[in-house]
Amino acid sequence: MAIPNIRIPCRQLFIDGEWRESVKKNRLPVINPATEEIIGDIPAATAEDVDIAVKAARSALRRDDWGNTTGAQRAKYLRAIAAKVQEKRHELATFETIDNGKPWFEAASDIDDVVACFEYYADLAEALDSKKKTEVKLHLDSFKTHVYREPLGVVGLITPWNYPLLMTTWKVAPALAAGCAAVLKPSEIASITSLELGEICREVGLPPGALNIITGLGHEAGSPLVSHPDVDKIAFTGSGPTGVNIMTAAAQLVKPVSLELGGKSPIVVFDDIHDLDIAVEWALFGCFWTNGQICSATSRLILQETIASKFLDRLLEWTKNIKISDPLEEDCKLGPVISRGQYEKVMKFISTAKNEGATILYGGERPQYLKKGYYIQPTIITDVDTSMEIWKEEVFGPVLCVKTFKTEEEAIELANDTKYGLGAAILSKDLERCERFTKAFQSGIVWVNCSQPCFWQPPWGGKKRSGFGRELGEWSLENYLNIKQVTQYASPDEPWAFYKSPSKL
């Protein structure tokens, strides 16, 4: 079926609890990746707008209605946001699909996670009240020390386009739970639902300035946010080169950053797997979920050579069965990639792999029956050498490359042969082997006999060039808290007696 002619709400920038036109009044088109049609536009913020938003956030911290709230009070706002998101689930999922291109049922699942994430951080905000002031035992009775956990201040949150509202929530929910005031800058190619979050905050009465949302280009809105002297921290999810630029700019002000910069994750499959089809499905899901546009995608399939031929035969059968269609169509399992630029980037990766001597076992082209939209067949590439670009670089599209191994040692070497370190998976019925690989993988996340499950309770993040810092769980809340030591002299009537006292007259 054709995608209905849906136009998005015409929003402005969300600053200080109000919709405000950008200073320069510029706007950017929103393109539906399934039809290549313009379906609306968003405001294009510049440095002037960033400054207004940061001032609004700073002002919110000085006011009692936000700056002096308890965790329990903030929890009420977070739960109200969750309830409103749930109420608008169908609408938000539809906006997400026409903005991002992911299948509607995936978008709806993301919205469910948004609701759960806000509720989870509401619970943590309440629990924070009992942890706000914590005594520290000392070895000297003459002093007493405690630690305050307090909001870090004004935080800049920069989010990607592959999970627009969910990635926004991963940052906004813990930042608000901690009591920070935030300025959110979502990706300019998927901002619709982040702007709708502004309307939700307005509807539930979130105090003005607690969350401000500015849309626009990275160099015009993102860069000024990173370098703004009154922003106390930057949390960023996105590409490695942009992460380097953010670190460099933040370093000039010794500003803390947390970075999640993608990956090139391995999935290692041994010949003792319980069931071939179960393993094949995890291999597909690990790479082709979210149209292949997932930072943790297990896009390097490392197969034990004794089952490689049989596994690839079955992999081909499953891959050919994936429904590629209009993402609003029922049972769609693969939609278009996000934009023309991303389409061309992915196709160039495939072309380069072929030119370097790899074999395109399946896919690598636009489906013939889809004349419009940025669609790419799920692609499987074999005869891959570790020197090839397709093995080394993050594609961020539905492309899986394959290598084989003989021994555990060779499998570990191949798995860790990457500059990234976000996720890694192993499929084997030998749980002792799985434990060995869990310890040997150079990554922040390990999946055993599965790939890509993600929950809001455990930490999420990587090592090496996948970045540093952790999101989700209690670890994310710590990102937005300042730890302040307070030490008190317990005997103020007693002299310290370090210096010799002058004679008294």
Side-chain angles (χ1 to χ4, degrees), residues 12 19 68 141 157 169 177 216 239 261 290 390 429-430 462 484 500:
Q12 303 293 346
W19 295 110
N68 287 327
D141 294 336
L157 312 175
T169 301
S239 72
L261 305 178
T290 311
I390 198 67
K429 71 178 182 182
D430 184 340
K484 179 183 288 183
K500 185 177 180 180

Side-chain angles (χ1 to χ4, degrees), residues 64-75:
D64 288 346
D65 65 349
W66 185 250
N68 287 327
T69 53
T70 64
Q73 290 170 324
R74 296 193 295 275

Side-chain angles (χ1 to χ4, degrees), residues 222-301:
S223 293
L225 180 62
V226 172
S227 60
H228 199 289
D230 214 19
V231 172
D232 300 301
K233 175 193 168 66
I234 294 292
F236 170 76
T237 298
S239 72
T242 302
V244 170
N245 291 337
I246 286 173
M247 278 191 71
T248 302
Q252 310 310 307
L253 298 171
V254 198
K255 182 181 302 185
V257 297
S258 52
L259 304 172
E260 201 261 78
L261 305 178
K264 190 73 176 177
S265 302
I267 180 168
V268 180
V269 182
F270 280 88
D271 61 8
D272 67 343
I273 49 177
H274 291 278
D275 183 286
L276 188 67
D277 277 351
I278 291 174
V280 165
E281 185 176 11
W282 280 120
L284 292 180
F285 184 80
C287 188
F288 299 149
W289 171 253
T290 311
N291 303 340
Q293 299 169 133
I294 180 170
C295 51
S296 57
T298 41
S299 58
R300 292 184 301 132
L301 173 59

Side-chain angles (χ1 to χ4, degrees), residues 80-142:
I81 291 171
K84 188 63 71 170
V85 170
Q86 180 64 52
E87 179 185 315
K88 298 186 177 187
R89 176 181 184 266
H90 189 278
E91 177 185 39
L92 291 170
T94 303
F95 286 156
E96 199 98 305
T97 294
I98 64 174
D99 196 20
N100 168 278
K102 67 171 59 185
W104 188 90
F105 85 95
E106 287 189 34
S109 178
D110 290 351
I111 302 304
D112 292 339
D113 283 353
V114 167
V115 172
C117 202
F118 272 110
E119 291 176 341
Y120 175 77
Y121 281 103
D123 292 342
L124 290 191
E126 284 183 333
L128 189 60
D129 284 340
S130 64
K131 302 175 184 177
K132 184 175 181 180
K133 182 178 179 181
T134 307
E135 183 182 356
V136 178
K137 296 294 184 180
L138 302 176
H139 67 290
L140 291 177
D141 294 336
S142 51

Side-chain angles (χ1 to χ4, degrees), residues 458-475:
W460 180 276
K463 60 189 298 186
K464 299 198 286 189
R465 293 195 192 180
S466 287
F468 51 85
R470 292 295 181 267
E471 294 192 299
L472 300 181
E474 296 181 6
W475 296 266

Side-chain angles (χ1 to χ4, degrees), residues 58 61 150-155 178-180 232-233 256 479-482:
R58 184 61 62 187
L61 291 176
E150 60 185 14
L152 194 57
V154 174
V155 293
C180 292
D232 300 301
K233 175 193 168 66
N479 280 337
Y480 302 101
L481 292 172
N482 180 53

